[in-house]
Amino acid sequence: MAKVSKRLKAAAEKIEKGKLYSIKEAISLFKETATAKFDESIEVHFRLGVDPRHADQQVRSTVVLPHGTGITKRVLVLAQGEKMKEAEEAGADFVGGEDLVTKISGGWLDFDAVIATPDMMKSVGRLGKLLGPRGLMPSAKTGTVTFELADAIREIKAGRVEFRVDKFGIIHNGVGKKSFTEEQLYDNVRTIFQAILKARPSSVKGTYVKSFSVASTMGPGIKIDPSAAQKEVAGE
């Protein structure tokens, strides 16, 4: 059995066992329990009442967090002709066509987001086994297959995140840093929660959000009352 550090034990003692907190209470506790010697991320975890094995119960979309994530993403763009120049001028970190497809095929993955123009998707399709498991595969649904490169690059750099349900019916994303103010963290958590509620598949019956928690990178989870949280964000 793994030994619990004194730091983690002290953090866990600040959380009342069995209690479901409000979003604002949980964020305050996150600030107290994120005691590692670096600027820890705040992570949100949602367990949804969906069956991801069914195509009509997939939950996947994007949302722009009002205060970003605190992480600067390296954006790679796969394009041709004049669109390559547009991507460079818009601030993409890496721009290329078939040359970059070949480089990625060889195992190079030194980037955080991929955007492709529709005319590149025939080539990009070969990268599915490499990019798909890492959540990097461009998709029209998430706005990363587009000719509007400047807008897509700007949104990703500004804090656009993709969320998607995993095979266990869980969504987990980083949505900020301990160095953010409580108000900034609240705005970000509220924004992604609202986006997940909006993405509810019409085929889902019964309880959609079964559990909701936040945690620091190296800290304990803090459980939030999902029903109360829905009322909280809907009433604003």
Side-chain angles (χ1 to χ4, degrees):
M1 187 174 177
K3 186 177 180 181
V4 179
S5 68
K6 289 183 179 179
R7 184 195 64 79
L8 187 56
K9 186 177 179 182
E13 287 174 350
K14 295 181 179 181
I15 300 166
E16 189 177 327
K17 203 168 184 178
K19 180 174 179 178
L20 296 178
Y21 293 89
S22 69
I23 298 175
K24 290 183 177 179
E25 289 171 334
I27 288 170
S28 293
L29 267 175
F30 156 76
K31 297 280 276 187
E32 289 183 39
T33 56
T35 54
K37 294 179 181 178
F38 62 93
D39 192 13
E40 292 186 70
S41 294
I42 181 170
E43 301 168 358
V44 291
H45 303 268
F46 300 90
R47 185 168 63 88
L48 305 182
V50 300
D51 186 345
R53 293 174 297 178
H54 299 295
D56 64 352
Q57 292 195 33
Q58 289 290 323
V59 180
R60 181 183 183 187
S61 189
T62 61
V63 63
V64 177
L65 299 178
H67 306 290
T69 61
I71 299 171
T72 302
K73 288 193 173 183
R74 297 163 297 175
V75 178
L76 179 146
V77 174
L78 297 168
Q80 300 181 61
E82 286 298 310
K83 286 295 175 181
M84 295 174 72
K85 183 179 179 182
E86 179 184 328
E88 289 171 351
E89 292 176 347
D93 298 279
F94 309 101
V95 180
E98 291 292 340
D99 56 330
L100 278 188
V101 172
T102 300
K103 188 174 181 179
I104 295 166
S105 296
W108 179 69
L109 294 163
D110 196 21
F111 46 85
D112 305 302
V114 182
I115 301 168
T117 52
D119 55 0
M120 282 296 297
M121 287 308 292
K122 186 175 181 180
S123 298
V124 176
R126 303 198 308 266
L127 304 175
K129 289 184 179 179
L130 273 172
L131 301 182
R134 294 170 173 81
L136 295 171
M137 190 66 183
S139 163
K141 189 173 182 179
T142 60
T144 49
V145 176
T146 178
F147 282 121
E148 304 300 323
L149 297 178
D151 289 342
I153 293 165
R154 183 176 61 252
E155 283 193 358
I156 290 173
K157 292 282 189 180
R160 185 175 79 180
V161 297
E162 178 182 348
F163 59 85
R164 62 187 302 177
V165 68
D166 66 17
K167 63 182 180 180
F168 303 108
I170 296 171
I171 288 175
H172 35 90
N173 283 81
V175 292
K177 293 285 189 176
K178 183 187 177 182
S179 55
F180 286 20
T181 66
E182 289 191 21
E183 290 76 16
Q184 289 173 325
L185 292 174
Y186 179 74
D187 286 345
N188 279 0
V189 173
R190 178 191 62 196
T191 298
I192 194 169
F193 186 36
Q194 288 174 328
I196 289 169
L197 293 174
K198 186 177 179 180
R200 175 176 180 153
S202 58
S203 60
V204 173
K205 307 302 179 186
T207 303
Y208 176 48
V209 181
K210 291 192 169 184
S211 68
F212 174 11
S213 65
V214 300
S216 61
T217 307
M218 298 184 68
I222 303 163
K223 294 181 180 180
I224 294 170
D225 184 332
S227 298
Q230 287 185 57
K231 293 175 183 176
E232 185 178 344
V233 301
E236 295 184 349

